[in-house]
Amino acid sequence: MSRLAVVEGVLERITYSNEDTGYTVARVDTGRGGGELLTVVGSLLGAQPGESLRMEGRWGSHPQYGRQFTVDNYTTVLPATVQGIRRYLGSGLVKGIGPVFADRITEHFGLETLDVLEESPERLIEVPGLGPKRTRNITAAWEEQKAIKEVMVFLQGVGVSTSIAVRIYKKYGDASISVVRGRPYRLAADVWGIGFLTADRIAHAVGIPHDSPDRVKAGLRFALSQSSDQGHCFLPEERLIADAVKLLQVDTGLVIDCLAELAADGEEGGVVRERVPGPDGELVTGVYLLPFHRAETSLAAQVVRLLRAEEDRLPAFRDVSWDRALAWLADRTGVRLAPEQEAAVRLALTRKVAVLTGGPGCGKSFTVRSIVELARAKAAKVVLAAPTGRAAKRLAELTGAEASTVHRLLELKPGGEAAYDRERPLDADLVVVDEASMLDVLLANKLVRAVAPGAHLLLVGDVDQLPSVGAGQVLGDLLAPGGPVPAVRLTRIFRQARQSGVVTNAHRINAGEHPLTTGLADFFLFVAEDTEEAGRLTVDVAARRVPVRFGLDPRRDVQVLAPTHRGPAGASTLNGLLQQAVTPARPGLPEKRFGGRVFRVGDKVTQVRNNYDKGRNGVFNGTVGVVTALDADEQRLTVLTDEDEEVAYDFDELDELAHAYAVTIHRSQGSEYPAVVIPVTTSAWTMLQRNLLYTAVTRARKLVVLVGSRRAIGQAVRTVSAGRRFTALGHRLTGGRPVGNIT
């Protein structure tokens, strides 16, 4: 093994950084002259370009990149020259100081610059262009940067990323290190981006025992949280215990005891045990995280409350002459409704809660428009909403009335509480929610609680699509046989829709038939048996062939939908390739490297978590937008969302964003695009299911291109998802009573 060596130099640039592990590839100026830079690799967690580093490590050689230095650990050394200080401050290390102000400050104070920042920051006002406000901001940023650096040095040994260290500091401030030392499992609950595994690694490093009850309880909550990410509202107790034993590598008896303690601790424990039916109807002991139990029981109760309300805010339709009303409607729209559409109109206007479902081309949209027209004709207050900005825009265009996202309709506040709820309901006689298959149990509960007694709620969606990204399968449970919620399923495909290859093939896929891929003007297959070849071809089709052939904008009009995130034809790899093709690096085009990603002005991006503190009413998982500005001085990036709202992100928040040139099919729910390109390869074999491919195809308005193998397409068409989610909403709606809470 080579001997330990010490290298000092100025960090010039970071060429690669993994935010999860801290592994970094960087170029360092060792001051040897000639402008030659040294490649260093290893954990440079928190190091910033411009900083002077003292690095301990070992020399080595890479077969492709030549001589390099592998860093075991490093310390920051403040620069000692004016040039070094200028580069240090101009690196973006301190918010408010970019290259321009770094030049001005160092020109004014010279070698005293860092002493002034440390001891007499009020003197910054002497610098031309630095007013009192900017001076205060720079002073605060300098202090915060120093404090964050202390936290990062402490966390460096356990591989916590820079962005997470910043979040820990923002959450706990000066108490950060004491919390991390004393109660590390709090991090998993309190700080977004820290899951149980990271908290567990930190806990091990600070000496928390492997069999600590705190560790086991945190692991149980983590296992339940993981299951909710997979769509489950609860887990059967036996499965939860088995999952926790495998995760924690501790005795089964210890897990059973800790679970009993959590359940007995009520709200503080955060879990509820209850006897409920499993997917096969047999009774199981279901274990819920408290928010999902509350949401599921509340949602069922609120639906029943609305159905049984004595008052009616659409009384005009109790005794209406339907023949005359429908004739008036046909005269107004120029189209006569089909019998099943008429049934849906009557249902929505006479029943307090109703569901309208059906596939593409079956007239759901026109039926909704008809319902809204008739309600308005009777001077009803109609409120329209959808889970995503794009779906809300489409609903507004369809009906000619204003529509908003559900989040904005409810005016969600920081923390997720809604301004409208049972005590302050929406002022609406009819609430119509489109793309209701996207509603998870938490959002559906907030929505239904806000509907006033006597108002009508119409949920519209395609139950054959994928269920919501979040926990639950609300639309499917509402449509369960024997339930109290009336529904109409539209099945007739209208003549003009039958001429669409997209519509035809969507229904073929849903029926278990292979899609037609020849002789159609709007549905194509590019065969590529090899996964890497399919990935390259997908990029070529989306970025060049489709835009040229059909006159579409590759960023705005074409969306790649991948079954998975990983692999050569997964969304992650395709995003990198599509960014190179659509928004390549150009001189003068601002960009910011964050982890393994580079963000540029013009990038298509998507939000990857619910953040109730951003925007007017929060920014939510799946929101799509375009990067419109990058400010290196203020360390801020601005996104214009698909709701036409400008949202600012500090550079340390960029792990909330991912590129969206390609997204997983799950993340595309509720959106509609002129053209979609779908890689379907055997490498995604376990993901290939009928509702997945059906959902992807139904996202297209005009054009679908499949890229991949016929074998993979056949697998998707044949495979009906057997993975029913663990929910008890249907049981609760049919009057099922809990056999008993278990403490």
Side-chain angles (χ1 to χ4, degrees):
M1 181 180 286
S2 59
R3 288 184 305 168
L4 201 65
V6 175
V7 170
E8 293 188 359
V10 176
L11 181 59
E12 285 290 330
R13 63 178 178 272
I14 293 173
T15 56
Y16 171 79
S17 175
N18 185 313
E19 281 291 314
D20 294 326
T21 65
Y23 180 81
T24 304
V25 179
R27 302 281 279 167
V28 170
D29 183 356
T30 58
R32 292 183 178 177
E36 188 175 335
L37 300 179
L38 170 67
T39 298
V40 298
V41 299
S43 180
L44 287 170
L45 182 69
Q48 298 283 346
E51 288 185 318
S52 297
L53 307 179
R54 187 178 189 276
M55 299 166 286
E56 291 184 350
R58 290 173 173 81
W59 289 101
S61 182
H62 189 279
Q64 184 176 351
Y65 302 110
R67 192 167 185 253
Q68 61 184 30
F69 188 74
T70 300
V71 180
D72 292 335
N73 57 74
Y74 79 94
T75 55
T76 302
V77 182
L78 290 177
T81 67
V82 171
Q83 182 182 359
I85 293 170
R86 180 185 294 117
R87 191 160 42 189
Y88 177 64
L89 292 180
S91 67
L93 181 74
V94 182
K95 188 183 294 187
I97 304 180
V100 172
F101 283 110
D103 286 346
R104 292 185 190 175
I105 293 169
T106 52
E107 187 176 328
H108 188 80
F109 294 115
L111 288 172
E112 295 181 50
T113 297
L114 298 182
D115 291 334
V116 169
L117 279 165
E118 184 68 34
E119 299 168 10
S120 310
E122 67 279 359
R123 288 187 59 197
L124 288 172
I125 201 166
E126 299 172 16
V127 178
L130 284 185
K133 182 178 179 182
R134 186 179 284 271
T135 297
R136 285 194 301 272
N137 290 344
I138 290 173
T139 302
W142 176 259
E143 289 300 317
E144 182 177 83
Q145 180 267 335
K146 282 197 306 177
I148 290 170
K149 183 70 81 175
E150 286 180 26
V151 175
M152 286 196 292
V153 168
F154 175 72
L155 295 175
Q156 187 172 354
V158 291
V160 177
S161 71
T162 311
S163 60
I164 289 177
V166 170
R167 285 210 192 93
I168 290 173
Y169 178 77
K170 286 186 174 179
K171 178 68 180 178
Y172 304 118
D174 294 338
S176 296
I177 291 175
S178 65
V179 169
V180 170
R181 280 199 177 113
R183 300 187 64 190
Y185 291 107
R186 272 186 64 186
L187 302 176
D190 292 352
V191 183
W192 184 77
I194 296 186
F196 171 78
L197 299 179
T198 300
D200 199 36
R201 193 167 67 236
I202 295 170
H204 176 73
V206 299
I208 303 293
H210 184 73
D211 59 355
S212 161
D214 283 348
R215 177 174 184 265
V216 177
K217 290 175 183 178
L220 282 162
R221 283 189 288 253
F222 172 68
L224 285 172
S225 176
Q226 289 286 94
S227 74
S228 69
D229 289 344
Q230 295 161 6
H232 301 301
C233 291
F234 69 85
L235 275 185
E237 184 177 48
E238 290 182 3
R239 176 166 161 179
L240 172 61
I241 291 168
D243 287 353
V245 168
K246 184 178 179 182
L247 168 73
L248 299 166
Q249 297 294 297
V250 295
D251 290 341
T252 302
L254 178 60
V255 172
I256 292 172
D257 290 345
C258 287
L259 177 57
E261 287 180 26
L262 281 176
D265 285 344
E267 287 202 16
E268 189 174 334
V271 304
V272 174
R273 293 196 295 184
E274 184 182 312
R275 295 286 284 176
V276 292
D280 298 327
E282 80 289 1
L283 281 178
V284 299
T285 299
V287 186
Y288 289 79
L289 284 174
L290 187 59
F292 296 101
H293 184 264
R294 282 179 173 166
E296 190 179 84
T297 53
S298 170
L299 174 57
Q302 300 307 321
V303 168
V304 172
R305 171 183 68 91
L306 291 178
L307 284 167
R308 294 177 179 171
E310 291 184 7
E311 59 264 61
D312 190 347
R313 294 184 60 154
L314 292 178
F317 293 100
R318 286 183 196 155
D319 304 312
V320 73
S321 167
W322 283 104
D323 288 343
R324 289 177 59 191
L326 293 169
W328 173 88
L329 184 65
D331 184 59
R332 185 172 177 82
T333 62
V335 178
R336 184 82 192 185
L337 294 173
E340 57 187 14
Q341 290 177 304
E342 291 184 357
V345 170
R346 293 189 190 201
L347 196 68
L349 297 173
T350 58
R351 300 293 295 271
K352 307 291 174 45
V353 182
V355 172
L356 172 61
T357 189
C362 293
K364 283 200 308 294
S365 296
F366 190 75
T367 305
V368 170
R369 179 183 159 191
S370 300
I371 291 164
V372 172
E373 288 275 5
L374 278 173
R376 280 179 173 160
K378 297 295 185 180
K381 293 178 180 176
V382 181
V383 167
L384 307 172
T388 67
R390 289 190 178 206
K393 280 185 179 178
R394 196 167 66 245
L395 185 59
E397 291 165 2
L398 166 75
T399 58
E402 185 179 343
S404 70
T405 62
V406 176
H407 306 94
R408 186 154 294 174
L409 173 68
L410 300 177
E411 294 182 12
L412 294 187
K413 303 171 184 175
E417 292 302 311
Y420 293 95
D421 55 20
R422 190 166 177 179
E423 285 67 45
R424 186 197 176 197
L426 296 163
D427 183 17
D429 304 318
L430 171 64
V431 178
V432 179
V433 181
D434 200 7
E435 295 288 356
S437 62
M438 290 185 67
L439 292 174
D440 61 42
V441 69
L442 298 178
L443 185 58
N445 177 49
K446 287 183 171 70
L447 169 69
V448 176
R449 282 178 62 86
V451 178
H456 291 224
L457 172 64
L458 174 65
L459 299 174
V460 184
D462 186 344
V463 75
D464 292 324
Q465 288 182 23
L466 290 167
S468 57
V469 174
Q473 48 189 22
V474 172
L475 190 64
D477 286 343
L478 291 174
L479 288 167
V485 179
V488 169
R489 181 171 191 140
L490 304 180
T491 57
R492 173 189 163 190
I493 305 173
F494 287 90
R495 183 170 56 83
Q496 68 252 39
R498 286 199 299 268
Q499 296 169 0
S500 161
V502 175
V503 171
T504 298
N505 278 331
H507 285 277
R508 286 179 67 88
I509 291 166
N510 204 31
E513 300 174 14
H514 203 285
L516 304 173
T517 56
T518 57
L520 298 173
D522 60 354
F523 202 104
F524 301 90
L525 168 64
F526 284 79
V527 176
E529 298 296 337
D530 177 75
T531 301
E532 290 193 12
E533 180 192 353
R536 289 191 296 270
L537 185 53
T538 296
V539 173
D540 187 43
V541 167
R544 188 179 64 83
R545 298 193 195 193
V546 166
V548 169
R549 169 85 179 272
F550 295 95
L552 298 175
D553 182 291
R555 185 187 291 108
R556 184 186 65 240
D557 300 329
V558 183
Q559 183 63 54
V560 173
L561 303 179
T564 65
H565 191 69
R566 296 186 176 91
S572 180
T573 298
L574 294 176
N575 264 316
L577 296 172
L578 285 161
Q579 185 193 36
Q580 291 174 27
V582 178
T583 316
R586 295 196 307 271
L589 181 68
E591 63 177 46
K592 168 63 181 175
R593 182 176 293 277
F594 186 90
R597 304 187 184 112
V598 178
F599 291 96
R600 300 186 181 114
V601 171
D603 271 339
K604 183 157 74 170
V605 294
T606 182
Q607 175 83 7
V608 297
R609 66 171 289 225
N610 288 345
N611 188 333
Y612 296 97
D613 299 320
K614 282 204 168 295
R616 291 192 292 275
N617 298 115
V619 182
F620 298 91
N621 190 356
T623 299
V624 176
V626 175
V627 177
T628 55
L630 265 166
D631 188 325
D633 287 359
E634 295 300 323
Q635 297 180 52
R636 188 171 294 139
L637 175 151
T638 304
V639 174
L640 180 65
T641 73
D642 55 9
E643 295 180 61
D644 296 322
E645 180 179 9
E646 285 201 333
V647 179
Y649 293 80
D650 290 341
F651 283 172
D652 59 36
E653 299 175 315
L654 292 184
D655 55 352
E656 294 190 23
L657 292 175
H659 291 101
Y661 300 98
V663 298
T664 60
I665 295 167
H666 278 87
R667 294 189 69 82
S668 73
Q669 290 171 261
S671 294
E672 190 178 77
Y673 316 94
V676 300
V677 181
I678 311 165
V680 188
T681 66
T682 53
S683 67
W685 194 259
T686 57
M687 292 292 295
L688 297 178
Q689 296 174 348
R690 187 180 300 170
N691 61 352
L692 187 85
L693 185 57
Y694 174 74
T695 300
V697 169
T698 56
R699 299 306 88 211
R701 198 157 58 238
K702 299 177 181 175
L703 176 70
V704 170
V705 181
L706 303 180
V707 181
S709 73
R710 289 188 172 89
R711 181 166 170 254
I713 295 168
Q715 166 72 2
V717 169
R718 285 191 305 274
T719 307
V720 178
S721 173
R724 182 171 170 80
R725 296 179 168 189
F726 292 117
T727 86
L729 178 60
H731 166 71
R732 299 181 198 281
L733 284 168
T734 52
R737 294 283 181 268
V739 176
N741 286 0
I742 303 167
T743 57

